[in-house]
Amino acid sequence: MALEDKHKWNKKYQNNPIPDTPIKLITQYAKLATGKQALDIACGMGRHSKYLISLGFEVDALDVSSLAIASLQNIPQIHAKEVDFDTYQLEKKKYDLIVCTFFLKRELFPQIIEALKTGGILIYETFVYHPDNEQVPSERSFLLEEGELENAFKKTLEVIESREYWHETMKGFKMKKASLVARKL
Ligand SMILES: C[S@@+](CC[C@H](N)C(=O)[O-])C[C@H]1O[C@@H](n2cnc3c(N)ncnc32)[C@H](O)[C@@H]1O
């Protein structure tokens, strides 16, 4: 499966421009982190890793796309590594900030909690299943269910912001999204 993902994403990154600007949730909340060790899960071409180093963070940028990871080599403060989250284990208690945008692997949820230091901040945003979504992924499991993101983290993290809302994608499709900002107590 991850090999398929790798080829799919390498091809996508070769052929299509993807947004280079950080999402608002990250520009709004990254500064809540009190230390400077950050993790960008499924970093893609690294728009958030690049934004975070501009704030002084050291970033572990992880993704299965070799093309994306190659593009992030030799950027000081970004430690880019090709990994497959089907098998890769996050380092425990390492991060002051973890960001994950437009990627969903539910098995990572407990690992994300473990990977945060006490006081560490999680910023997560991705799409939610809804019958009125105008862009349908190949598998429903790639989308959150309604309420799922907050429910996955609210028992162990302090929720700072959580919302679900309609959004228009770059290609003009209406999609439901969920955002969560939370702190490890
Ligand atoms: C929609 S992109 C999001 C990129 C980035 N977070 C952003 O918002 O710009 C999803 C990313 O997940 C990565 N990915 C997909 N499956 C993966 C896996 N099994 N392990 C690691 N990364 C994976 C892809 O290579 C791709 O870069």
Side-chain angles (χ1 to χ4, degrees):
M1 179 61 184
L3 198 62
E4 256 173 56
D5 288 335
K6 177 171 168 165
H7 293 144
K8 180 181 107 182
W9 282 98
N10 276 348
K11 209 163 150 196
K12 231 178 216 188
Y13 289 136
Q14 239 159 11
N15 300 331
N16 295 309
I18 55 143
D20 200 27
T21 45
I23 61 165
K24 195 166 161 222
L25 195 72
I26 290 184
T27 59
Q28 255 181 324
Y29 287 105
K31 45 182 118 31
L32 288 183
T34 50
K36 290 296 179 197
Q37 194 66 53
L39 169 64
D40 186 356
I41 294 180
C43 60
M45 298 302 280
R47 57 180 169 153
H48 296 126
S49 298
K50 290 172 188 163
Y51 173 72
L52 293 175
I53 64 167
S54 78
L55 300 181
F57 285 94
E58 286 280 329
V59 185
D60 289 344
L62 308 179
D63 199 283
V64 78
S65 162
S66 49
L67 193 146
I69 292 306
S71 78
L72 297 172
Q73 297 300 328
N74 306 319
I75 303 179
Q77 283 82 52
I78 295 184
H79 312 287
K81 191 167 163 188
E82 184 184 323
V83 308
D84 169 12
F85 288 119
D86 286 355
T87 49
Y88 185 79
Q89 294 283 314
L90 302 183
E91 288 183 58
K92 293 184 179 170
K93 295 189 171 74
K94 178 172 182 187
Y95 299 105
D96 303 294
L97 176 66
I98 297 181
V99 301
C100 183
T101 59
F102 307 109
F103 177 72
L104 179 61
K105 185 146 195 70
R106 294 169 170 83
E107 296 81 352
L108 281 184
F109 289 171
Q111 287 189 49
I112 288 174
I113 294 167
E114 287 275 343
L116 284 167
K117 290 180 192 163
T118 301
I121 300 290
L122 169 65
I123 304 178
Y124 206 129
E125 180 164 293
T126 196
F127 297 114
V128 176
Y129 174 78
H130 193 282
D132 295 336
N133 279 344
E134 291 178 349
Q135 206 174 21
V136 180
S138 52
E139 286 181 37
R140 177 165 171 168
S141 66
F142 293 162
L143 301 176
L144 289 161
E145 297 299 322
E146 287 183 48
E148 183 182 1
L149 188 61
E150 182 178 325
N151 284 335
F153 291 100
K154 73 177 181 195
K155 286 196 197 93
T156 37
L157 306 185
E158 172 199 16
V159 174
I160 295 166
E161 162 156 345
S162 171
R163 64 191 192 106
E164 292 186 354
Y165 57 102
W166 288 98
H167 153 91
E168 194 170 299
T169 66
M170 229 177 44
K171 291 184 178 158
F173 295 112
K174 194 179 74 166
M175 290 289 288
K176 197 163 195 196
K177 279 205 301 196
S179 298
L180 178 78
V181 180
R183 182 187 283 113
K184 185 167 177 178
L185 298 170

